[in-house]
Amino acid sequence: MFVGIDDEAVGVIVRQSNDLPWKVIDPVNAGAAHAVAYFRNIAAQHWWMGTSRSFKLEGKREQPAHLHIEVREVSIATATPPAKAETAVFSVLGAASLCHFLNDMMQALLPAVYPILQGNFTLSFAQVGILTFVYQLTASLLQPFIGAYTDRRPMPYSLPAGMASSMLGLITLAYAPSYEVLLIGGVLLGIGSSIFHPETSRIARLASGGSHGLAQSLFQVGGNFGSAVGPLAAAFIILPRGQDGLAWFALAALAGMIILTALGRWYKKNGHAGRPKAGAAARHSTLSRKKVSAVMAVLIALLFSKYIYLAAFTSYYIFYLMEKFGLSTQHAQVYQFVFFGAVAAGTIAGGPIGDRLGRKLVIWVSILGVLPFTLLLPHVGLVPTVALSAVIGFVLASAFPAIVVYGQELMPGRVGMVSGLFFGFIFGIGGIGAAMLGALADWKGIIFVFDVCAFLPAVGVLAIFLPNVRELKS
């Protein structure tokens, strides 16, 4: 039957015979008041089910306890009580998505305030580049190592510690007296992001209730909105106040710490904080280590093509519209917002579609399938360009949730490492790709950049080498 101590449900207890004590055999999540009680007769394989009017459990958790219970209604059945269906914990997923929003918003503030920092410290472009490099080095390269470490030694409260690092980074950047201190602030901000992504992605999977794609979509869309809001927050909050305005966002980090502490408590309370059992599978049971490595390389190549192309839109789409169609900056920004909105919608859709139709199909269609649209875009007018950009953004964005979950299914014992590898890679390749495309634009022009990038989705043909993980499971 369900029992509780201090009005908190702690488990199901049974008594095998009249002279044996009641014993807690399984934890449950149930309210104490008017809980459903199960009395099991082991010999007859019967269950008596009733609604309790009141009950009291005396004794300590680790010792035999005495139960006093008053049962209002009782019925008998020969079947076991119905199993509770595994469902997604949307409160946890919502909290993870909100924290992703806060994290990525704070991360987006640093490049948004480069003009302020450059003016305050008379920085050269090389110094700005070094600051970017130091930040991205810690924010991207550390992620898979942190994920691999916590795969072996789960740390449920590392999440608020990571957010605390981001908060210290913002405060350091806000009051930095020298360029060297700016670099320290960039490192602290990057460390916070490195801890956040692999661990929160793990929590999203644990709270998915089996709908892993949906959970990743909900988690990732928070980050998409955060990255989009960051520059706007910098324009309306930091620019009027100057460099010191960065400190205001320490309040956002503090809110994130509170929420992440609650997520860490959920993580630990639900039994996920223990070390994995010896011999637990680190990779897919039917695939060799060599095959898994080859498939991971294919996924990295697909991410490379996707995020280099997205870097063109993120960094240079406004300039493309202004040069090709003579638009003002304001009008070009509106059309870029259309693209970002489509990316957010695609991120939400990609995960559930992968849950239903299979992740390999989503990966295949979302990268190779977008090729006709990318090839057509440089050769049409303004209205078709905006429409095509929305289609491209939606379809391309649907790939990432599917790729992350596909990688996690390939290596079920390395969820943190896989998440850190993918999130870190896309972060790093986005920055490198933007720099490469900027150099190409200086050399050949911004329109040439979009002409060349149009062929990148052809890399999606590599998806033919991906095994169907769903069929392998069955």
Side-chain angles (χ1 to χ4, degrees):
M1 68 184 67
F2 295 127
V3 299
I5 298 177
D6 296 332
D7 294 328
E8 179 184 359
V10 296
V12 176
I13 69 172
V14 297
R15 185 167 59 180
Q16 296 182 357
S17 68
N18 290 333
D19 41 357
L20 288 178
W22 297 92
K23 179 182 178 184
V24 177
I25 61 170
D26 187 35
V28 295
N29 293 315
H34 303 294
V36 175
Y38 293 100
F39 304 73
R40 185 178 181 188
N41 181 317
I42 300 295
Q45 290 297 309
H46 286 172
W47 289 85
W48 285 266
M49 182 175 67
T51 302
S52 65
R53 187 186 303 272
S54 64
F55 53 77
K56 181 180 180 183
L57 187 66
E58 298 178 347
K60 298 181 179 179
R61 292 174 186 261
E62 64 272 13
Q63 297 176 349
H66 301 284
L67 182 73
H68 305 278
I69 183 167
E70 179 183 354
V71 178
R72 185 171 55 203
E73 297 175 9
V74 175
S75 62
I76 185 171
T78 57
T80 59
K84 183 179 179 181
E86 189 179 15
T87 57
V89 186
F90 285 102
S91 59
V92 172
L93 294 176
S97 184
L98 174 59
C99 289
H100 201 181
F101 169 85
L102 295 174
N103 179 82
D104 284 21
M105 178 187 68
M106 291 185 293
Q107 304 297 320
L109 293 175
L110 179 57
V113 299
Y114 279 165
I116 296 176
L117 300 179
Q118 189 177 37
N120 290 351
F121 296 94
T122 61
L123 302 179
S124 66
F125 285 111
Q127 288 175 307
V128 173
I130 292 172
L131 177 58
T132 302
F133 173 76
V134 168
Y135 161 65
Q136 291 191 342
L137 184 70
T138 53
S140 59
L141 294 186
L142 287 181
Q143 289 198 36
F145 297 103
I146 291 173
Y149 182 84
T150 53
D151 282 334
R152 295 177 174 86
R153 298 173 179 83
M155 302 175 66
Y157 293 110
S158 64
L159 287 168
M163 191 65 77
S165 179
S166 295
M167 181 175 69
L168 291 175
L170 288 174
I171 295 173
T172 302
L173 290 168
Y175 300 111
S178 65
Y179 176 68
E180 291 74 18
V181 179
L182 283 179
L183 294 178
I184 295 173
V187 168
L188 290 171
L189 194 63
I191 290 174
S193 184
S194 287
I195 296 173
F196 175 84
H197 285 107
E199 282 302 278
T200 318
S201 181
R202 186 200 312 277
I203 285 182
R205 182 175 179 85
L206 293 173
S208 67
S211 300
H212 302 308
L214 171 64
Q216 281 297 320
S217 289
L218 293 176
F219 169 63
Q220 290 170 26
V221 76
N224 288 349
F225 280 117
S227 298
V229 169
L232 294 176
F236 290 102
I237 298 176
I238 299 176
L239 288 180
R241 295 170 174 81
Q243 181 181 344
D244 295 353
L246 278 167
W248 283 99
F249 289 90
L251 297 175
L254 183 61
M257 290 172 62
I258 295 171
I259 299 172
L260 289 173
T261 299
L263 287 181
R265 188 180 300 114
W266 176 88
Y267 185 25
K268 185 176 182 179
K269 183 178 179 181
N270 285 269
H272 303 305
R275 292 193 180 191
K277 297 179 180 179
R283 55 180 170 79
H284 199 283
S285 58
T286 62
L287 298 175
S288 66
R289 182 185 299 272
K290 184 177 180 180
K291 180 64 174 179
V292 169
S293 299
V295 173
M296 291 294 288
V298 170
L299 294 177
I300 291 292
L302 296 175
L303 287 175
F304 176 86
S305 68
K306 166 182 161 63
Y307 279 93
I308 293 291
Y309 188 83
L310 286 179
F313 267 88
T314 301
S315 301
Y316 304 108
Y317 185 48
I318 288 177
F319 300 106
Y320 175 81
L321 293 175
M322 292 170 63
E323 180 172 332
K324 185 170 183 179
F325 301 110
L327 299 181
S328 66
T329 302
Q330 186 177 16
H331 282 91
Q333 287 174 331
V334 171
Y335 293 134
Q336 188 180 45
F337 180 77
V338 172
F339 172 76
F340 284 141
V343 168
T347 301
I348 295 174
I353 293 174
D355 287 336
R356 181 175 294 272
L357 302 180
R359 307 189 210 291
K360 181 179 178 178
L361 178 63
V362 173
I363 295 170
W364 181 279
V365 171
S366 63
I367 298 181
L368 184 62
V370 83
L371 181 61
F373 304 105
T374 61
L375 292 174
L376 183 61
L377 183 136
H379 308 290
V380 297
L382 175 60
V383 173
T385 294
V386 175
L388 285 172
S389 74
V391 173
I392 292 169
F394 180 90
V395 177
L396 268 182
S398 66
F400 189 57
I403 288 175
V404 171
V405 176
Y406 187 96
Q408 292 174 343
E409 291 175 344
L410 277 178
M411 304 183 70
R414 298 290 182 268
V415 170
M417 187 274 288
V418 169
S419 302
L421 176 65
F422 287 164
F423 279 102
F425 179 79
I426 66 171
F427 191 86
I429 201 62
I432 294 171
M436 292 170 53
L437 295 177
L440 183 61
D442 287 338
W443 180 38
K444 287 288 190 178
I446 195 67
I447 294 178
F448 180 78
V449 168
F450 279 80
D451 289 337
V452 171
C453 288
F455 293 91
L456 282 172
V459 176
V461 73
L462 293 175
I464 196 173
F465 297 108
L466 298 178
N468 193 322
V469 177
R470 175 178 290 185
E471 290 181 359
L472 289 175
K473 279 185 175 181
S474 60

